[in-house]
Amino acid sequence: MAHTLAIDEQRFSCEATPNRSLTAVGRQLWLSMVAITILFLATAATLIGAWPVLPFAGLEIFLIWFAFGRIAAHDADFETLKIENAMFVLQSQNGKKHFLLSGNAQWAILECKTRANRCALTLRYRGQAVKIGQLLNDVERINLAMRLKKMIRVQHLEELTQ
């Protein structure tokens, strides 16, 4: 996952976005090439008498198109955590859901649950519990928790199930 991190004594900023090595145009081009290939082979099979191949080829093309649509729905996903002057702002987008939480960083608690090299981070503030670092891997989440120690109270818990 792509992310940026900027830290100094009074400020912290972290932004995470999903890694998309294939652009929207690239997905369309790839889907077109695969569909043409599948239809060519299914048509050839139909011409030699294996007509049941054609409906399954259509199903295969539909499933690939559907999977790419699900991926495209999350192209704009991001997660941003900024801390400045003892105030934090957590902003995230997952599909069509947009979330914003802000407040006093000294009152926030970051729970870091680890077990067997797995890590889950939960930010608790004013009765709300929000999972953060969903676009990061486990090592990056652990590093994020370590860097946040000076600005937010971090509780380490050893109870994450596999």
Side-chain angles (χ1 to χ4, degrees), residues 49-161:
W51 62 267
V53 171
L54 197 56
F56 288 104
L59 178 64
E60 185 176 3
I61 293 168
F62 170 76
L63 291 175
I64 293 171
W65 171 80
F66 180 77
F68 277 179
R70 297 295 302 149
I71 291 169
H74 292 276
D75 275 348
D77 287 3
F78 71 92
E79 185 176 280
T80 304
L81 176 62
K82 294 181 182 179
I83 302 174
E84 188 173 350
N85 299 328
M87 299 297 289
F88 77 91
V89 176
L90 174 65
Q91 207 172 6
S92 67
Q93 181 169 326
N94 184 1
K96 293 182 180 180
K97 295 181 194 172
H98 188 78
F99 181 79
L100 175 66
L101 179 67
S102 62
N104 189 331
Q106 295 172 347
W107 296 347
I109 298 173
L110 181 68
E111 285 184 356
C112 180
K113 296 180 183 178
T114 57
R115 182 172 180 187
N117 295 329
R118 300 285 311 191
C119 179
L121 297 178
T122 304
L123 182 66
R124 297 191 177 275
Y125 182 74
R126 295 185 65 190
Q128 292 185 346
V130 181
K131 289 189 180 269
I132 64 170
Q134 297 296 307
L135 298 174
L136 303 174
N137 63 37
D138 291 312
V139 173
E140 291 170 335
R141 280 192 287 271
I142 291 170
N143 289 337
L144 178 64
M146 297 304 229
R147 290 187 170 123
L148 285 172
K149 270 186 172 182
K150 294 179 181 177
M151 300 183 166
I152 293 180
R153 189 172 20 158
V154 177
Q155 291 181 347
H156 291 278
L157 305 172
E158 301 278 334
E159 61 185 57
L160 185 67
T161 59

Side-chain angles (χ1 to χ4, degrees), residues 13-72:
S13 177
C14 179
E15 182 174 349
T17 56
N19 184 8
R20 295 285 190 255
S21 58
L22 192 59
T23 64
V25 173
R27 279 193 300 264
Q28 290 175 349
L29 181 63
W30 193 86
L31 180 61
S32 299
M33 290 187 319
V34 167
I36 289 169
T37 304
I38 290 171
L39 287 175
F40 174 76
L41 294 173
T43 304
T46 301
L47 291 176
I48 63 171
W51 62 267
V53 171
L54 197 56
F56 288 104
L59 178 64
E60 185 176 3
I61 293 168
F62 170 76
L63 291 175
I64 293 171
W65 171 80
F66 180 77
F68 277 179
R70 297 295 302 149
I71 291 169

